[in-house]
Amino acid sequence: MTIPHPAQSAQAPSGLPASASERTARYLRVLSIAGSDSGGGAGIQADLKTFSALGCYGMTAIAAITAQNTCGVRAIHAVPADILKAQIDAVVQDIGVDAVKIGMLATPETVRVVADAIRRYQLPHVVLDPVMVATSGDRLIAAETADALVRELFPLVELITPNLDEGGWLLGQPIDGVAALDDAARKLLALGAPAVLLKGGHLPGDWVVDLLVDADGVSHRLESARIVTHNGHGTGCTLSSAIAAELASGAALPEAVVRARRYILGAIAAGADVRTGSGHGPLNHGYAPRAQVIVGG
């Protein structure tokens, strides 16, 4: 499928001269800066599956290596900051980027490397999933890293996508009901994020309510019937990477969130009864793949 060049990608890709970007067709390019999940259900692996399913060309800069499966996280190894920087530089300078998804960053040093790259390359459409707690309940990063996320990255991104546990940790208070979502989202905005998608899936009930508060302060309440399944591993990673892919395709933020949410609901439903491992299994990322999108040319 060929689509018109998205308006936000009309400039040359970062690190490339304008003439190179204008004379050839190319794919929609989405970069994931995140941790690797050896079990394949979350992190970099889920991001690449999502980008591909939504017709985008996925690239990676691995910030951490985890030993994990459907039952939990066994070990985490942070990739050295200079290696993370080299990965980002290599991708951006040669291929270019239309959108970025940021996942788990294990140390304050890696946070600073990513923030520096966003500023140096003026990376567009950055979606930050502040990964702090795994589906299994394992705490993934230290408090000083969470502080660095807020200080260094919140002002530079287009959207943050915390779940209730992560939002509560950032605010230092629990988010204990649907009625608390709006106040919590606005407090997260006050920390410096331009827009917040607060995910309410951890709340009990037959309906899942997520709340998007955009840069204009407008609230968008998104509801859907809960899908009963044990396979919820990687839902946050998948949703944030789907939003980044939709932004790369030219969708405005509210529409990108709606489309991404529609995709993830389909992926959850399609994989709800599939058994993978003995714990929290993954989604069915490839249930309805799109053709690879080509722009320009």
Side-chain angles (χ1 to χ4, degrees):
M1 177 171 63
T2 303
I3 65 173
H5 202 293
Q8 73 272 20
S9 301
Q11 297 178 350
S14 301
L16 291 180
S19 58
S21 69
E22 291 170 356
R23 66 172 176 256
T24 58
R26 62 171 180 80
Y27 300 120
L28 290 177
R29 307 150 302 178
V30 189
L31 170 64
S32 172
I33 306 172
S36 170
D37 172 7
S38 53
I44 288 282
Q45 287 80 356
D47 295 343
L48 286 175
K49 293 172 187 177
T50 302
F51 299 155
S52 180
L54 296 179
C56 294
Y57 180 81
M59 305 164 292
T60 64
I62 299 176
I65 300 169
T66 70
Q68 65 176 295
N69 52 30
T70 63
C71 298
V73 180
R74 298 185 179 185
I76 299 174
H77 172 70
V79 170
D82 61 332
I83 299 299
L84 176 60
K85 178 180 182 298
Q87 292 178 80
I88 298 171
D89 289 346
V91 167
V92 176
Q93 292 172 7
D94 177 46
I95 301 170
V97 173
D98 296 306
V100 181
K101 176 266 174 76
I102 301 172
M104 188 182 78
L105 302 178
T107 68
E109 291 75 21
T110 58
V111 172
R112 285 191 284 271
V113 164
V114 174
D116 177 66
I118 294 171
R119 286 189 292 261
R120 281 189 296 120
Y121 294 116
Q122 298 184 337
L123 296 178
H125 299 311
V126 181
V127 178
L128 170 62
D129 184 20
V131 177
M132 301 175 182
V133 183
T135 302
S136 59
D138 294 296
R139 185 69 62 86
L140 298 175
I141 66 173
E144 57 266 28
T145 305
D147 292 340
L149 282 174
V150 174
R151 184 177 61 255
E152 301 282 349
L153 283 179
F154 274 29
L156 300 178
V157 304
E158 186 167 342
L159 175 72
I160 65 170
T161 63
N163 62 31
L164 296 187
D165 292 335
E166 293 155 350
W169 187 13
L170 289 166
L171 295 176
Q173 64 183 65
I175 304 170
D176 52 10
V178 172
L181 291 178
D182 190 76
D183 181 63
R186 294 182 186 281
K187 286 179 178 177
L188 289 167
L189 286 177
L191 293 179
V196 176
L197 176 63
L198 188 55
K199 300 172 293 190
H202 290 180
L203 293 173
D206 294 332
W207 287 84
V208 174
V209 179
D210 301 329
L211 185 71
L212 170 67
V213 182
D214 64 24
D216 296 322
V218 178
S219 294
H220 307 263
R221 183 178 167 119
L222 306 166
E223 301 184 38
S224 56
R226 186 178 300 277
I227 300 169
V228 179
T229 179
H230 202 58
N231 297 330
H233 184 51
T235 51
C237 301
T238 300
L239 179 60
S240 56
S241 56
I243 294 169
E246 296 292 358
L247 290 171
S249 74
L253 180 60
E255 180 61 22
V257 172
V258 169
R259 292 183 190 177
R261 203 170 179 277
R262 185 183 306 130
Y263 164 74
I264 195 173
L265 289 171
I268 294 171
D273 298 323
V274 179
R275 192 67 177 174
T276 306
S278 55
H280 296 281
L283 319 182
N284 184 343
H285 292 88
Y287 76 99
R290 298 180 192 169
Q292 186 95 349
V293 177
I294 298 173
V295 299

